[in-house]
Amino acid sequence: MMTSDHVSDLEPAVQAGDDPREFAHVLSAVHDAAMSGGRMPARPRTVIDDSWQRLRKAGLDPDADTAVERGLDVEELEERRRQSGLIDVVDELARGLDSLIADGDNILVIADARGHVLWRSGSSRVLNRADHLGFIEGADWAEASVGTNAIGTALMSGRSIQVFSAEHFVRSHHSWTCTGAPIKDPRTGDMLGVVDVSGPAATIHPTTLALVHAVARLAESQLREQHHRRLDCLRAVAAPILARSPGPALAVDVDGWVAAVDAVSPRSRLLLPRGVGPGRSFFGALGECDVEALPGGWLVRVADASDASTTRVSMRTVTTASGGECVEVSVEGASGGWTHRCSPRHGDILTFLARHRPGVTAAQMSTHLFGVDDRAVTVRAEMSRLRKRFGGLLMAGPYRFADGVEVRLHG
């Protein structure tokens, strides 16, 4: 399991048995001395001292009004959520930390790798208090924006951290405590974001840090398991297609992680060209390759100069075993094909796109599905699910089938 720090290395802001109120007074004196250049009555913890030094060098004002305005609009926020790599573990994080949120004194916040708040939950009482600090969805809580805090400082230090009272660089945050743990991509080690529990300073407890840290590690484990399951599913579909492939080929997911190979040297990941889609593309490791769509990924076949691959999509309405109807989508390439039966909603979307090959906007799709043009958020969510299934067959901006894909509608 990939971790940012070990449980034994965790350093709660307040130790068991300490009086938080008394300790807050000490920290306030330390903060005042540090900000004025005076002699500090005690040294702040190393992780806090490092943060304060970074912020003083950056010129951040500890007395600044940090009630940040929303940094992302609704559309940007939705896109950040989809691209964060965290959307599949939001529920897991909420369940794991429910005991800290249930009493109504704390809020749960999940931020991306840049410190933007993507999700938050908690009682209306504590959420209203957070609103006054600008601690809202879409806001930027990177360290450089709002000073020392468990989101931004966890991102900077790469470790789980608890920040209490006057350990916050900005004075307006001194009535708060926050505990954050970074979440990393278990495949690459890249930072995905931070899970944070925040509330009034009086709610601090030393065990909170260990719990938030443990839940973040479990989320990483869940991401790893989800990745393995997706590759297993892709491998099952790709195996018979690879067996029929006329030459060297690989099955990879949409990020290039390899599920299966045939007559190609083993590797864990293939670097995909920017904007890869069905057709012929140049891969630095393999040269010219023909790319065909697979459910949740690609078949990458080393090209024969005399053979250019074409991807064909056929859609037809079929009767299900229960007597209902659904749209069956068949995808065929030079190496074989696969079939997927869509839900009625997804079948409707794909049929609409097939009839509007130049593409449609989210508002246009909303009007088609719901009769009004203001359900764009729902449309984007549905398109995100479809694109996970059909990969680069579907494009965005506007939504459409990829160029070069032959699409046929049958009755």
Side-chain angles (χ1 to χ4, degrees):
M1 180 181 296
M2 187 172 295
T3 62
S4 59
D5 44 14
H6 299 287
V7 173
S8 59
D9 296 330
L10 298 178
E11 185 182 24
V14 176
Q15 301 298 321
D18 287 347
D19 182 343
R21 292 183 181 180
E22 181 179 334
F23 191 46
H25 287 305
V26 173
L27 289 175
S28 183
V30 171
H31 183 276
D32 288 344
M35 298 304 128
S36 64
R39 181 178 179 180
M40 292 184 288
R43 296 294 303 180
R45 292 183 292 147
T46 299
V47 67
I48 301 299
D49 191 32
D50 289 346
S51 174
W52 287 1
Q53 290 189 41
R54 285 192 296 269
L55 295 166
R56 284 199 296 267
K57 288 180 181 178
L60 189 68
D61 182 0
D63 295 306
D65 178 5
T66 60
V68 292
E69 298 295 331
R70 181 182 295 275
L72 303 173
D73 63 28
V74 174
E75 290 192 4
E76 290 174 320
L77 178 61
E78 289 295 329
E79 183 63 23
R80 287 287 185 93
R81 286 172 171 172
R82 287 193 294 273
Q83 299 298 327
S84 67
L86 296 170
I87 196 167
D88 291 333
V89 293
V90 170
D91 291 342
E92 182 77 15
L93 293 168
R95 281 193 297 269
L97 295 171
D98 181 66
S99 62
L100 299 179
I101 310 303
D103 62 6
D105 288 330
N106 294 293
I107 61 172
L108 171 68
V109 174
I110 302 171
D112 67 12
R114 295 184 180 179
H116 282 98
V117 175
L118 300 184
W119 295 274
R120 69 173 195 167
S121 62
S123 71
S124 57
R125 172 167 50 87
V126 73
L127 287 175
N128 287 337
R129 290 191 61 179
D131 289 346
H132 294 303
L133 291 178
F135 202 17
I136 57 178
E137 290 180 346
D140 180 3
W141 275 72
E143 193 182 73
S145 297
V146 296
T148 309
N149 72 92
I151 293 174
T153 306
L155 290 172
M156 291 297 296
S157 65
R159 60 179 296 184
S160 300
I161 182 174
Q162 190 171 49
V163 181
F164 172 61
S165 187
E167 288 185 323
H168 290 92
F169 186 81
V170 176
R171 285 190 172 88
S172 60
H173 299 172
H174 287 187
S175 61
W176 283 77
T177 184
C178 50
T179 304
I183 301 173
K184 295 184 178 181
D185 188 331
R187 304 169 301 177
T188 64
D190 293 340
M191 189 73 72
L192 295 177
V194 173
V195 57
D196 166 89
V197 173
S198 293
T203 65
I204 190 169
H205 197 283
T207 61
T208 300
L209 180 60
L211 179 57
V212 174
H213 175 82
V215 169
R217 303 291 75 76
L218 287 173
E220 290 177 348
S221 178
Q222 182 179 348
L223 288 171
R224 183 183 298 105
E225 291 172 2
Q226 290 173 351
H227 173 63
H228 289 162
R229 286 198 297 269
R230 284 193 290 267
L231 288 184
D232 287 343
C233 291
L234 181 56
R235 190 177 297 116
V237 174
I241 297 175
L242 285 172
R244 298 191 300 268
S245 178
L250 309 86
V252 301
D253 71 7
V254 293
D255 296 315
W257 295 98
V258 177
V261 300
D262 181 61
V264 177
S265 58
R267 66 198 70 202
S268 60
R269 193 176 189 183
L270 180 67
L271 182 63
L272 302 181
R274 183 182 297 274
V276 65
R280 185 159 292 186
S281 298
F282 181 82
F283 290 74
L286 301 173
E288 292 286 335
C289 294
D290 289 320
V291 180
E292 302 171 25
L294 293 174
W298 303 105
L299 177 72
V300 179
R301 183 165 55 89
V302 177
D304 182 335
S306 62
D307 176 35
S309 174
T310 299
T311 297
R312 298 177 178 85
V313 175
S314 298
M315 292 187 287
R316 68 183 71 246
T317 301
V318 298
T319 302
T320 64
S322 63
E325 291 186 342
C326 71
V327 173
E328 184 178 81
V329 182
S330 298
V331 181
E332 295 286 341
S335 302
W338 50 277
T339 298
H340 174 67
R341 288 192 170 186
C342 297
S343 68
R345 170 70 56 80
H346 286 177
D348 190 5
I349 291 173
L350 292 174
T351 301
F352 189 63
L353 293 179
R355 290 172 174 157
H356 297 80
R357 287 304 304 270
V360 299
T361 65
Q364 289 171 326
M365 183 64 76
S366 174
T367 299
H368 169 70
L369 294 175
F370 308 111
V372 292
D373 64 2
D374 59 358
R375 300 284 295 277
V377 171
T378 302
V379 168
R380 282 191 288 271
E382 295 288 1
M383 290 303 303
S384 178
R385 297 185 187 100
L386 270 171
R387 294 181 71 191
K388 284 184 178 179
R389 164 61 60 175
F390 291 100
L393 287 176
L394 299 175
M395 310 297 289
Y399 293 122
R400 66 195 188 280
F401 278 97
D403 296 339
V405 176
E406 294 183 9
V407 182
R408 296 179 181 177
L409 281 173
H410 303 278

